[in-house]
Amino acid sequence: MDFLPPPSTQLPPSTYAEVRQASSSQTLSLPPTLPSRVAKLPAAELPIEVRAQLQILLETLPDPKAIAQQFKADLLAQAGPIKPNSLPKPKPNDKPRPPLPPRVGEKLNVVSDRQEYDINTQVFVAEGNVVINYKKSELKADRVQLNTKTQEVVAEGNVFFTRGDQKIRGSKLTYNYGNVKGELLNASGAVDLGTLNSSEVSRSPAQTAPNSITVSVAGTGDTSEGQVRRLGFIADRLILDGDTWTAENLRVTNDPFTPPELELITSKATLTPISPTQNRLDLESPRIVFDQGFSLPLPVNSITLDRFQRFAPALVGFDRRDRDGVFYQQSFDVITQPNLSFQLSPQLLLQRAFSSQNGFSGFDIIGVVATLNGAFDDGSSLSARASFSGLDFSRIDSLLRFNATYQMPVFGNHTLLSQYAFRDRVFNGSLGFQDVNNILGTTLLSPNYVLGDSNISLSYQISAQLVGAVRDDVQPTTVGSLVRLQSAALLSRTFPLWRGESLPAEKETGLRFSPKPVVPRLDAYLSAQGVNSFYSNGTNQAVVYGTVGLAAEVGHFAKDFLDYTGLSLSYTQAFSSGKSPFLFDRVADNRSLTAGIVQQIYGPIRLGIQQSWSLDSGNLFDSVYSLEYARRTYSVLVRYNPNQGLGEFLIRISDFNWTRPPSNVTTVQNGIEQRN
C-alpha cells in the first residue's frame, strides 16, 4: 500500500504556509490540512503583531509529504516483510491472491540457441548449446526438455552435469530437481574426494628438519602420494539418488590418460557420502586390472575414502622376531566416523603354521593388529595401535605390543604429545633390539623455524617420561623404572647445489613411471643436534651430533634404461659425556656412515640398497634391500631388512589413502625415539 499520492504533472504546492498583504480583501493562506473553519480570516481583524507571530508559527510546520514518507518507513520497519504464514486466511468470497515471488536461490537460468514453452503443458524445450543453471547445479546438453510443473528434465546429446564436486558426462540424463533423483546412460566423469590428514604417533626434530630428507629405498615417504584427490570412472548406467551414486558395470581409474594402466572393475558399485569428509565405495566382486591385461581379485568389498590413512587391504609380510617369518595380513574397516577410524587387520602366520606341530589348527598361528585414529575439530588427534603376534591369551604379556598417543596444539604453533607404550620394540643401531616394558610421558614439540634469511632451520623438543626398561647399571642386569627428563634441539641447513628441469607431465615423458615428474637435483646438508637426558637415579647422558651429507637424483625415470639414479651419503660424528642407565637410548655409535642407492634397471624396475656402518667397530648394523616395479598409478614393492628380520611384499595404488603398516619397531636415532 502506498501512503503517498501519485506524482502530479503540475507544480507542487508550496511546502510552507505564507502570509501576504495584497489588498483589503486579502486572506491568510493556510496549508490544506488545516480545518476549513480557520482557512479564511479577514486580515483587518488581526493586529499586526498577531499576524507576525502566526507567520512565524506556520513557517515552523514540517512538510506533510516528509511526514507521510517517515510514517511509511516506520510502519514497514516494524511489520517486516510479508510472510506467507502471517497473511490472514482467505474468505470464501475473496478474490484469489497473486502467487508469491520465488525464493532466492531457485532462479532458473537458461541459455540456448532456440527455446520454446508450451503454456498448457508447462513444458519448456531448449535446443542447441543448452546451459541451465538451477538449484546450485549446471546442466549442458544439445537438447533439454524441462517440465516446470514436475521439475523433471530430460537432457540428450553431450550431456555434462555438474553439482558441487561431482562432474559427470553421458548420452542421456533423466533427472528430477525436486527429489534429486535420476539416471545417466553411458556415464563417465570424475569425483573429488577430499584430502588426507595423516596422523602420526610420534616425531622428533630429526624427522622434520631438512637433513632427514634422504633418498631411501622405501621411497620418499611423502604422504601426498597417498592422498585421495580425484578418481575417473566409466559406467553403462549411473543412478543418482541425492548424494548417493549407484553404477552398473563400473570401471574406476586413477590414471588421467587413456587407455588407463590401472582399473578397478566391478559389476555394481555404490558411492555413499558418510560425512563431509568421508565416502564409502561398496563393490560387488571387484577386480584390479593392470595394463589392460593381468587382473587380481580385490580382497575387500567396501573401501572408505576419507582423510585417514589406512593399511593396504592386503599385505604379505616378514617378521622373524615376533611372528617367526612370513605372514599374510588383510585389513577391514570397523568404524568409519567423520572424526574416528577403527581398523582391524587379522594375520595368518604362515611360516609358524608350517613349522608348528599343530599346523593350521592352533590359535598361535593367528595374529591381529588393531588401529584407532581420531582427528578432532580443535586440531587434536588420537592414535592407538595394538599388535598381537598370536592369540594364546595365556601368554598375552609376551604377545601384545601397544602404543597410544594423544596430541594437541598448544602455544599457537607447538604440539603437546602425551604417550603410553607397552612392550615397545626398539632398534638402537649397533645395540640391536631392545624392549621397553613401559613408557609413559609427555613431550612438547616445536614447529620448524627458519632463522631470518639464513635458511637455517631450528626445532626442539622437551619431554618428561617414566620409563621401565632393561638397566645394566645395576648387577645383575634387570628391568627397572626411572624418570627421564630429556631435551633436544636441532640446527640444520640444506644447500641446493644443482637443479635440473623436469619433463612435461605427460603420458610418455614425466609421468611414464612416476606419479609426479622427477626433478633432477643435487643437495648438500649440514646439521648439529644436541640431546641431554637426566635420569632419576642421578645419571646424565649428554650428546652433540654433527652430520654432513649429500643427496641426489639423476635422470627423469622416463626412458627404458638407466634413466634414474637416487643417491644418498651421510656421516655422523657424536661427542658424548655420561651414559644412559638404559640400553634402548644409550649412544650406540659415535661415528657412523650411511649410504644408499636406488637404480633403474630397465623400464619400471628399480633396485635399492641402503646400509649403515659403525666406524667405531667396523660393523654393518642396519641394511635395507628393495625391488620395485613402479608405474604412475601403482607400484609393486618387495623390501627386506636382514638386520632387523623384517620384510614385506605390497602393492601401492596412487591416490588411495592406503599405506603400508608400521613394522612395530621404534627406531632410536641420536638417542631419540622415532615412531611411525
Side-chain angles (χ1 to χ4, degrees):
M1 180 177 180
D2 198 346
F3 291 91
L4 297 179
S8 174
T9 56
Q10 300 178 356
L11 293 176
S14 176
T15 305
Y16 297 97
E18 59 181 44
V19 176
R20 292 184 297 179
Q21 204 172 23
S23 62
S24 60
S25 62
Q26 183 179 15
T27 60
L28 178 66
S29 300
L30 296 175
T33 56
L34 293 179
S36 59
R37 63 177 180 272
V38 297
K40 294 183 179 180
L41 294 175
E45 295 180 3
L46 296 176
I48 187 171
E49 296 84 357
V50 176
R51 293 201 306 269
Q53 292 296 327
L54 184 58
Q55 180 178 359
I56 295 173
L57 174 63
L58 295 175
E59 289 178 352
T60 60
L61 291 176
D63 183 4
K65 185 176 181 180
I67 294 176
Q69 290 177 335
Q70 184 63 40
F71 178 70
K72 178 182 178 181
D74 293 342
L75 182 61
L76 291 176
Q78 294 178 10
I82 297 175
K83 303 179 178 62
N85 296 332
S86 66
L87 296 175
K89 295 183 179 180
K91 298 178 181 179
N93 298 328
D94 289 348
K95 295 181 179 180
R97 290 176 184 157
L100 292 174
R103 290 177 295 174
V104 177
E106 296 186 358
K107 187 176 181 179
L108 175 67
N109 289 325
V110 180
V111 177
S112 64
D113 296 341
R114 296 173 299 279
Q115 299 179 11
E116 294 180 0
Y117 180 72
D118 189 327
I119 194 171
N120 295 320
T121 61
Q122 300 185 39
V123 172
F124 177 83
V125 178
E127 295 180 337
N129 301 312
V130 183
V131 180
I132 296 179
N133 289 282
Y134 184 51
K135 289 191 174 182
K136 299 180 181 179
S137 67
E138 183 179 75
L139 173 62
K140 297 180 180 179
D142 294 338
R143 184 181 186 275
V144 174
Q145 177 178 299
L146 173 62
N147 188 315
T148 58
K149 183 178 181 180
T150 63
Q151 299 191 59
E152 184 168 295
V153 63
V154 178
E156 298 177 283
N158 298 313
V159 177
F160 186 80
F161 184 64
T162 303
R163 187 182 63 192
D165 291 332
Q166 303 172 346
K167 302 174 177 65
I168 51 177
R169 295 179 182 271
S171 60
K172 182 178 180 180
L173 172 68
T174 303
Y175 187 74
N176 190 291
Y177 286 103
N179 56 24
V180 200
K181 294 182 179 181
E183 69 173 24
L184 180 66
L185 302 181
N186 301 318
S188 64
V191 182
D192 290 312
L193 296 172
T195 57
L196 177 70
N197 292 333
S198 175
S199 60
E200 51 187 12
V201 174
S202 178
R203 60 187 176 90
S204 73
Q207 289 176 290
T208 58
N211 82 311
S212 66
I213 302 174
T214 59
V215 177
S216 169
V217 297
T220 62
D222 184 5
T223 56
S224 65
E225 293 186 7
Q227 290 185 6
V228 179
R229 292 187 291 270
R230 173 169 291 199
L231 300 177
F233 67 89
I234 298 175
D236 292 347
R237 181 168 174 254
L238 186 64
I239 302 171
L240 309 175
D241 187 355
D243 291 328
T244 300
W245 293 11
T246 300
E248 298 176 356
N249 296 325
L250 175 69
R251 307 169 75 94
V252 179
T253 183
N254 57 350
D255 194 345
F257 302 107
T258 301
E261 64 182 21
L262 178 72
E263 285 184 297
L264 188 153
I265 297 178
T266 178
S267 59
K268 184 178 181 181
T270 301
L271 180 68
T272 305
I274 307 173
S275 72
T277 60
Q278 293 180 303
N279 292 269
R280 186 182 70 247
L281 187 62
D282 296 307
L283 309 167
E284 290 187 2
S285 304
R287 293 180 297 119
I288 296 180
V289 180
F290 301 90
D291 296 307
Q292 305 294 303
F294 178 70
S295 67
L296 287 174
L298 188 66
V300 293
N301 292 325
S302 179
I303 302 172
T304 300
L305 303 170
D306 60 11
R307 58 184 176 174
F308 294 111
Q309 279 192 321
R310 290 179 174 80
F311 299 160
L315 167 74
V316 177
F318 181 87
D319 185 347
R320 183 174 57 209
R321 188 170 186 232
D322 277 3
R323 291 166 173 79
D324 297 327
V326 178
F327 64 91
Y328 173 79
Q329 174 177 305
Q330 187 163 334
S331 300
F332 303 94
D333 291 325
V334 179
I335 297 176
T336 55
Q337 297 298 322
N339 295 327
L340 200 65
S341 166
F342 180 60
Q343 191 175 34
L344 277 179
S345 304
Q347 298 172 334
L348 179 60
L349 311 183
L350 298 171
Q351 196 161 338
R352 181 182 294 179
F354 283 113
S355 61
S356 172
Q357 295 180 353
N358 297 327
F360 286 85
S361 60
F363 286 103
D364 59 340
I365 66 166
I366 302 296
V368 176
V369 176
T371 306
L372 179 71
N373 286 302
F376 308 108
D377 295 337
D378 60 357
S380 62
S381 63
L382 171 69
S383 298
R385 185 172 188 265
S387 174
F388 298 86
S389 56
L391 296 182
D392 183 359
F393 291 104
S394 64
R395 300 188 300 115
I396 193 66
D397 288 347
S398 61
L399 299 177
L400 171 65
R401 298 186 186 276
F402 178 78
N403 188 293
T405 297
Y406 177 77
Q407 61 183 34
M408 59 184 297
V410 294
F411 309 131
N413 55 1
H414 286 64
T415 300
L416 185 65
L417 184 148
S418 302
Q419 182 183 50
Y420 172 74
F422 173 72
R423 291 190 70 239
D424 203 6
R425 184 179 172 188
V426 175
F427 183 80
N428 186 14
S430 295
L431 295 180
F433 279 112
Q434 306 293 327
D435 277 342
V436 178
N437 288 42
N438 291 278
I439 184 167
L440 173 66
T442 299
T443 303
L444 179 67
L445 301 163
S446 80
N448 198 37
Y449 296 103
V450 178
L451 304 181
D453 298 329
S454 64
N455 292 325
I456 297 176
S457 297
L458 167 67
S459 59
Y460 57 86
Q461 71 179 50
I462 303 171
S463 65
Q465 297 165 321
L466 176 63
V467 180
V470 174
R471 296 175 54 182
D472 69 345
D473 61 326
V474 293
Q475 295 299 328
T477 300
T478 185
V479 174
S481 296
L482 294 173
V483 174
R484 183 184 69 175
L485 303 178
Q486 187 178 72
S487 60
L490 175 68
L491 289 170
S492 61
R493 181 179 176 184
T494 299
F495 300 88
L497 303 180
W498 171 73
R499 283 291 183 276
E501 294 291 334
S502 63
L503 296 179
E506 298 175 357
K507 182 178 180 180
E508 297 299 329
T509 52
L511 299 181
R512 187 181 181 193
F513 300 126
S514 174
K516 55 186 177 182
V518 175
V519 179
R521 66 184 179 92
L522 174 63
D523 294 335
Y525 55 87
L526 297 172
S527 72
Q529 184 178 26
V531 182
N532 200 358
S533 302
F534 293 92
Y535 303 88
S536 57
N537 67 341
T539 58
N540 167 246
Q541 177 179 264
V543 195
V544 175
Y545 298 91
T547 300
V548 58
L550 292 171
E553 287 184 287
V554 182
H556 295 96
F557 202 26
K559 299 178 182 178
D560 286 331
F561 186 66
L562 300 179
D563 192 28
Y564 178 84
T565 303
L567 298 168
S568 67
L569 180 67
S570 66
Y571 170 75
T572 299
Q573 173 76 57
F575 304 91
S576 62
S577 65
K579 185 172 70 171
S580 169
F582 298 116
L583 293 175
F584 83 95
D585 67 343
R586 183 173 299 172
V587 176
D589 306 290
N590 288 308
R591 296 181 302 146
S592 61
L593 179 69
T594 298
I597 181 172
V598 179
Q599 179 62 58
Q600 179 193 19
I601 304 302
Y602 181 79
I605 300 175
R606 292 192 293 189
L607 177 66
I609 303 172
Q610 183 170 288
Q611 296 183 324
S612 297
W613 295 268
S614 172
L615 300 183
D616 298 323
S617 62
N619 294 330
L620 174 68
F621 63 82
D622 199 19
S623 57
V624 182
Y625 301 90
S626 71
L627 182 64
E628 181 184 20
Y629 182 86
R631 304 297 298 270
R632 66 174 167 270
T633 58
Y634 69 93
S635 67
V636 181
L637 178 66
V638 180
R639 179 165 37 208
Y640 179 62
N641 185 324
N643 299 87
Q644 298 186 21
L646 298 172
E648 60 191 356
F649 170 81
L650 58 86
I651 298 175
R652 178 187 63 82
I653 300 179
S654 305
D655 289 341
F656 277 82
N657 54 339
W658 293 337
T659 183
R660 69 182 185 92
S663 61
N664 266 342
V665 175
T666 298
T667 301
V668 170
Q669 180 178 336
N670 298 350
I672 298 175
E673 301 97 307
Q674 299 184 48
R675 310 172 197 276
N676 53 21

Coordinates of all heavy atoms in Angstrom, one line a residue, residues 298-353:
L298 N 40.2 -58.1 -5.9 CA 40.4 -57.2 -4.7 C 39.8 -57.9 -3.5 O 38.6 -58.2 -3.5 CB 39.8 -55.9 -5.0 CG 40.1 -54.8 -3.9 CD1 41.6 -54.4 -4.0 CD2 39.3 -53.5 -4.2
P299 N 40.6 -58.1 -2.4 CA 40.1 -58.9 -1.3 C 39.2 -58.1 -0.3 O 39.0 -58.5 0.8 CB 41.4 -59.3 -0.6 CG 42.4 -58.2 -0.9 CD 42.0 -57.7 -2.3
V300 N 38.6 -57.0 -0.8 CA 37.7 -56.2 0.0 C 36.5 -55.8 -0.8 O 36.6 -55.6 -2.0 CB 38.3 -55.0 0.7 CG1 39.4 -55.3 1.7 CG2 38.9 -54.1 -0.4
N301 N 35.3 -55.7 -0.2 CA 34.1 -55.3 -0.9 C 33.7 -53.9 -0.6 O 32.6 -53.5 -1.1 CB 33.0 -56.3 -0.7 CG 33.3 -57.7 -1.3 OD1 33.8 -57.8 -2.4 ND2 32.8 -58.7 -0.6
S302 N 34.4 -53.3 0.3 CA 34.0 -51.9 0.7 C 35.3 -51.1 1.0 O 36.2 -51.6 1.7 CB 33.1 -52.0 2.0 OG 32.8 -50.6 2.4
I303 N 35.3 -49.9 0.5 CA 36.5 -49.1 0.6 C 36.0 -47.7 1.2 O 35.1 -47.1 0.6 CB 37.3 -48.9 -0.7 CG1 37.7 -50.2 -1.3 CG2 38.4 -47.9 -0.5 CD1 38.3 -50.1 -2.7
T304 N 36.6 -47.3 2.3 CA 36.3 -46.0 2.8 C 37.4 -45.0 2.4 O 38.6 -45.2 2.6 CB 36.2 -46.1 4.4 OG1 35.2 -47.0 4.7 CG2 35.9 -44.7 4.9
L305 N 36.9 -43.9 1.8 CA 37.9 -42.9 1.3 C 37.6 -41.7 2.1 O 36.6 -41.1 2.1 CB 37.6 -42.6 -0.2 CG 37.7 -43.8 -1.1 CD1 37.1 -43.4 -2.5 CD2 39.1 -44.3 -1.3
D306 N 38.6 -41.3 2.9 CA 38.5 -40.2 3.8 C 39.9 -39.6 4.1 O 40.8 -39.9 3.4 CB 37.7 -40.5 5.0 CG 38.3 -41.6 5.9 OD1 39.5 -41.9 5.6 OD2 37.7 -42.1 6.8
R307 N 39.9 -38.8 5.2 CA 41.2 -38.1 5.5 C 42.1 -38.9 6.3 O 43.2 -38.5 6.7 CB 40.9 -36.8 6.3 CG 40.1 -37.0 7.6 CD 39.7 -35.7 8.2 NE 38.9 -35.9 9.4 CZ 38.6 -34.9 10.2 NH1 39.0 -33.7 9.9 NH2 37.8 -35.1 11.2
F308 N 41.7 -40.2 6.7 CA 42.6 -41.0 7.5 C 43.4 -42.0 6.6 O 42.8 -42.5 5.6 CB 41.8 -41.9 8.5 CG 41.2 -41.1 9.6 CD1 39.8 -40.9 9.6 CD2 41.9 -40.4 10.5 CE1 39.2 -40.2 10.6 CE2 41.3 -39.7 11.5 CZ 40.0 -39.5 11.5
Q309 N 44.6 -42.2 6.9 CA 45.4 -43.3 6.2 C 45.0 -44.6 6.9 O 44.9 -44.8 8.1 CB 46.9 -43.1 6.3 CG 47.4 -42.1 5.3 CD 48.9 -42.1 5.2 OE1 49.6 -42.2 6.2 NE2 49.4 -41.9 4.0
R310 N 44.9 -45.6 6.0 CA 44.6 -47.0 6.5 C 45.6 -48.0 5.9 O 46.2 -47.7 4.8 CB 43.2 -47.4 6.1 CG 42.1 -46.7 6.9 CD 40.7 -47.2 6.4 NE 39.7 -46.6 7.2 CZ 39.2 -45.3 7.0 NH1 39.7 -44.6 6.1 NH2 38.3 -44.9 7.8
F311 N 45.8 -49.1 6.5 CA 46.6 -50.1 6.0 C 46.1 -50.6 4.6 O 44.9 -50.6 4.4 CB 46.7 -51.3 6.9 CG 47.3 -51.0 8.3 CD1 47.1 -51.8 9.3 CD2 48.0 -49.8 8.5 CE1 47.6 -51.5 10.6 CE2 48.5 -49.5 9.7 CZ 48.3 -50.4 10.8
A312 N 47.0 -51.0 3.8 CA 46.6 -51.5 2.5 C 45.7 -52.8 2.7 O 45.9 -53.5 3.7 CB 47.9 -51.9 1.7
P313 N 44.7 -53.0 1.8 CA 43.8 -54.1 2.1 C 44.5 -55.4 2.3 O 44.0 -56.3 3.1 CB 42.9 -54.1 0.8 CG 43.0 -52.7 0.3 CD 44.4 -52.2 0.6
A314 N 45.6 -55.7 1.6 CA 46.3 -57.0 1.7 C 47.8 -56.7 1.7 O 48.3 -55.8 1.1 CB 45.9 -57.9 0.5
L315 N 48.4 -57.6 2.5 CA 49.9 -57.4 2.6 C 50.5 -58.8 2.9 O 49.9 -59.6 3.7 CB 50.2 -56.5 3.8 CG 51.7 -56.4 4.3 CD1 52.5 -55.7 3.3 CD2 51.7 -55.8 5.6
V316 N 51.6 -59.1 2.3 CA 52.4 -60.3 2.7 C 53.7 -59.7 3.4 O 54.4 -58.9 2.8 CB 52.8 -61.1 1.5 CG1 53.7 -62.3 1.9 CG2 51.6 -61.7 0.8
G317 N 53.9 -60.1 4.7 CA 55.0 -59.5 5.4 C 55.9 -60.6 6.0 O 55.6 -61.8 5.9
F318 N 57.0 -60.1 6.5 CA 58.0 -61.0 7.1 C 58.5 -60.4 8.4 O 58.9 -59.2 8.4 CB 59.2 -61.2 6.2 CG 60.3 -62.1 6.7 CD1 60.1 -63.5 6.5 CD2 61.3 -61.7 7.4 CE1 61.1 -64.4 7.0 CE2 62.3 -62.5 7.9 CZ 62.2 -63.9 7.7
D319 N 58.3 -61.1 9.5 CA 58.7 -60.7 10.8 C 59.3 -61.9 11.6 O 58.6 -62.7 12.1 CB 57.5 -60.1 11.6 CG 57.9 -59.5 12.9 OD1 59.0 -59.7 13.4 OD2 57.0 -58.8 13.6
R320 N 60.6 -61.9 11.6 CA 61.3 -63.1 12.1 C 61.2 -63.1 13.6 O 61.1 -64.2 14.2 CB 62.8 -63.0 11.7 CG 63.6 -64.3 12.1 CD 65.0 -64.2 11.5 NE 65.7 -62.9 11.9 CZ 66.6 -62.4 11.1 NH1 66.9 -62.9 10.0 NH2 67.2 -61.3 11.5
R321 N 61.2 -62.0 14.3 CA 61.3 -62.0 15.8 C 60.0 -62.2 16.4 O 59.9 -63.0 17.4 CB 61.9 -60.6 16.2 CG 62.2 -60.5 17.7 CD 62.9 -59.3 18.1 NE 63.4 -59.3 19.5 CZ 63.1 -58.3 20.3 NH1 62.5 -57.3 19.9 NH2 63.6 -58.4 21.6
D322 N 58.9 -61.6 16.0 CA 57.6 -61.7 16.7 C 56.7 -62.8 16.0 O 55.9 -63.4 16.7 CB 56.9 -60.4 16.7 CG 57.4 -59.5 17.8 OD1 58.3 -59.9 18.5 OD2 56.8 -58.4 17.9
R323 N 56.8 -63.0 14.7 CA 55.9 -63.8 14.0 C 56.5 -65.0 13.3 O 55.9 -65.7 12.5 CB 55.1 -63.0 13.0 CG 54.1 -62.0 13.7 CD 53.6 -60.9 12.8 NE 52.6 -60.2 13.5 CZ 52.8 -59.2 14.3 NH1 54.1 -58.9 14.6 NH2 51.9 -58.5 14.9
D324 N 57.8 -65.2 13.6 CA 58.5 -66.4 13.1 C 58.6 -66.5 11.6 O 58.7 -67.6 11.0 CB 57.9 -67.7 13.6 CG 58.0 -67.8 15.2 OD1 59.0 -67.3 15.7 OD2 57.1 -68.4 15.8
G325 N 58.5 -65.4 10.9 CA 58.7 -65.4 9.5 C 57.5 -64.8 8.7 O 57.0 -63.8 9.1
V326 N 57.2 -65.5 7.6 CA 56.2 -64.9 6.6 C 54.8 -65.0 7.2 O 54.4 -65.9 7.9 CB 56.2 -65.7 5.3 CG1 55.2 -65.2 4.3 CG2 57.6 -65.6 4.7
F327 N 54.0 -63.9 7.0 CA 52.6 -63.9 7.4 C 51.8 -63.1 6.3 O 52.3 -62.3 5.5 CB 52.4 -63.2 8.7 CG 52.8 -61.7 8.8 CD1 51.9 -60.7 8.5 CD2 54.1 -61.4 9.1 CE1 52.2 -59.4 8.5 CE2 54.5 -60.0 9.1 CZ 53.5 -59.0 8.8
Y328 N 50.5 -63.4 6.3 CA 49.6 -62.7 5.4 C 48.6 -61.9 6.2 O 48.1 -62.3 7.3 CB 48.8 -63.7 4.5 CG 47.7 -63.0 3.7 CD1 48.0 -62.4 2.5 CD2 46.3 -63.1 4.1 CE1 47.0 -61.8 1.8 CE2 45.3 -62.5 3.4 CZ 45.7 -61.8 2.2 OH 44.7 -61.2 1.5
Q329 N 48.4 -60.6 5.8 CA 47.5 -59.7 6.6 C 46.4 -59.1 5.6 O 46.7 -58.7 4.5 CB 48.3 -58.6 7.2 CG 47.5 -57.5 7.9 CD 48.4 -56.4 8.5 OE1 49.2 -56.7 9.3 NE2 48.2 -55.2 8.1
Q330 N 45.2 -59.0 6.1 CA 44.1 -58.4 5.4 C 43.4 -57.5 6.4 O 43.1 -57.8 7.5 CB 43.1 -59.4 4.9 CG 42.1 -58.8 3.9 CD 41.4 -59.9 3.1 OE1 41.9 -60.9 2.8 NE2 40.2 -59.6 2.7
S331 N 43.1 -56.3 5.9 CA 42.5 -55.2 6.8 C 41.1 -54.9 6.5 O 40.6 -55.0 5.3 CB 43.4 -53.9 6.6 OG 44.7 -54.2 7.0
F332 N 40.3 -54.6 7.5 CA 38.9 -54.3 7.4 C 38.6 -53.0 8.3 O 39.1 -52.9 9.4 CB 38.0 -55.5 7.9 CG 38.3 -56.8 7.2 CD1 39.2 -57.7 7.7 CD2 37.7 -57.1 6.0 CE1 39.5 -58.9 7.1 CE2 37.9 -58.3 5.4 CZ 38.8 -59.2 5.9
D333 N 37.7 -52.2 7.7 CA 37.2 -51.1 8.5 C 36.1 -51.5 9.4 O 35.1 -52.2 8.9 CB 36.7 -50.0 7.5 CG 37.8 -49.3 6.8 OD1 38.9 -49.2 7.3 OD2 37.6 -48.9 5.6
V334 N 36.2 -51.1 10.6 CA 35.1 -51.4 11.6 C 34.3 -50.2 12.0 O 33.1 -50.3 12.0 CB 35.7 -52.1 12.9 CG1 34.7 -52.4 13.9 CG2 36.5 -53.3 12.6
I335 N 35.0 -49.1 12.2 CA 34.3 -47.8 12.5 C 34.8 -46.8 11.5 O 36.0 -46.6 11.3 CB 34.6 -47.4 13.9 CG1 34.0 -48.4 14.9 CG2 34.0 -46.0 14.2 CD1 34.3 -48.0 16.4
T336 N 33.9 -46.1 10.8 CA 34.3 -45.0 9.9 C 33.5 -43.8 10.2 O 32.5 -43.5 9.4 CB 34.1 -45.5 8.4 OG1 32.8 -45.9 8.3 CG2 35.1 -46.6 8.1
Q337 N 33.8 -43.1 11.3 CA 33.1 -41.9 11.6 C 33.9 -40.7 11.1 O 35.1 -40.8 10.8 CB 32.9 -41.8 13.1 CG 32.0 -42.9 13.7 CD 30.6 -42.8 13.2 OE1 30.0 -41.8 13.0 NE2 30.0 -44.0 12.9
P338 N 33.3 -39.5 11.0 CA 34.0 -38.4 10.5 C 35.3 -38.0 11.2 O 36.3 -37.7 10.6 CB 33.0 -37.2 10.6 CG 31.6 -37.9 10.5 CD 31.8 -39.2 11.2
N339 N 35.3 -38.2 12.5 CA 36.4 -37.9 13.3 C 37.1 -39.1 13.9 O 38.0 -39.0 14.7 CB 36.0 -37.0 14.5 CG 35.6 -35.6 14.0 OD1 36.1 -35.1 13.0 ND2 34.7 -35.0 14.7
L340 N 36.7 -40.3 13.5 CA 37.2 -41.5 14.2 C 37.2 -42.7 13.1 O 36.3 -42.9 12.3 CB 36.3 -41.9 15.3 CG 36.9 -42.9 16.4 CD1 38.0 -42.2 17.1 CD2 35.8 -43.3 17.4
S341 N 38.3 -43.4 13.2 CA 38.5 -44.6 12.3 C 39.1 -45.7 13.1 O 40.1 -45.5 13.9 CB 39.5 -44.2 11.1 OG 39.9 -45.4 10.5
F342 N 38.5 -46.9 13.0 CA 39.0 -48.1 13.7 C 39.1 -49.2 12.6 O 38.2 -49.5 11.9 CB 38.0 -48.5 14.8 CG 38.5 -49.7 15.5 CD1 39.7 -49.7 16.2 CD2 37.7 -50.9 15.6 CE1 40.1 -50.9 16.9 CE2 38.1 -52.0 16.3 CZ 39.3 -52.0 16.9
Q343 N 40.3 -49.8 12.6 CA 40.6 -50.8 11.5 C 41.2 -52.0 12.2 O 42.0 -51.9 13.1 CB 41.6 -50.3 10.5 CG 41.7 -51.1 9.3 CD 42.6 -50.5 8.2 OE1 43.6 -49.8 8.6 NE2 42.3 -50.7 7.0
L344 N 40.7 -53.2 11.8 CA 41.2 -54.5 12.3 C 41.9 -55.2 11.1 O 41.4 -55.2 10.0 CB 40.1 -55.4 12.8 CG 39.6 -55.2 14.2 CD1 38.5 -56.2 14.5 CD2 40.7 -55.4 15.2
S345 N 43.1 -55.8 11.4 CA 43.9 -56.4 10.4 C 44.3 -57.8 10.9 O 45.3 -58.0 11.6 CB 45.1 -55.6 10.1 OG 44.8 -54.3 9.7
P346 N 43.5 -58.8 10.7 CA 43.9 -60.2 11.0 C 45.1 -60.7 10.2 O 45.2 -60.3 9.1 CB 42.6 -61.0 10.7 CG 41.5 -60.0 10.6 CD 42.1 -58.8 10.1
Q347 N 45.9 -61.5 10.9 CA 47.1 -62.0 10.2 C 47.1 -63.6 10.3 O 46.8 -64.1 11.4 CB 48.3 -61.5 10.9 CG 48.5 -60.0 10.8 CD 49.6 -59.4 11.6 OE1 50.0 -60.1 12.6 NE2 50.2 -58.3 11.2
L348 N 47.5 -64.2 9.2 CA 47.7 -65.6 9.2 C 49.3 -65.8 9.2 O 49.9 -65.5 8.2 CB 47.1 -66.3 8.0 CG 47.3 -67.8 7.9 CD1 46.7 -68.5 9.1 CD2 46.7 -68.3 6.6
L349 N 49.8 -66.4 10.3 CA 51.3 -66.5 10.4 C 51.7 -67.8 9.7 O 51.7 -68.9 10.3 CB 51.6 -66.6 11.9 CG 51.0 -65.4 12.7 CD1 51.5 -65.5 14.2 CD2 51.3 -64.1 12.1
L350 N 51.9 -67.7 8.4 CA 52.1 -68.9 7.5 C 53.4 -69.7 7.9 O 53.3 -70.9 8.0 CB 52.2 -68.4 6.1 CG 51.0 -67.7 5.5 CD1 51.3 -67.1 4.2 CD2 49.9 -68.7 5.4
Q351 N 54.5 -69.0 8.1 CA 55.7 -69.8 8.4 C 55.6 -70.5 9.7 O 56.1 -71.6 9.9 CB 56.9 -68.9 8.3 CG 58.2 -69.6 8.2 CD 59.4 -68.7 7.8 OE1 59.1 -67.7 7.1 NE2 60.6 -69.1 8.0
R352 N 55.0 -69.9 10.7 CA 54.8 -70.5 12.0 C 53.9 -71.7 11.9 O 54.1 -72.8 12.5 CB 54.2 -69.5 13.0 CG 54.0 -70.1 14.4 CD 53.4 -69.1 15.4 NE 54.3 -68.0 15.6 CZ 53.9 -67.0 16.4 NH1 52.7 -66.9 17.0 NH2 54.8 -66.0 16.6
A353 N 52.8 -71.6 11.0 CA 51.9 -72.7 10.8 C 52.6 -73.9 10.2 O 52.4 -75.1 10.6 CB 50.7 -72.3 10.0

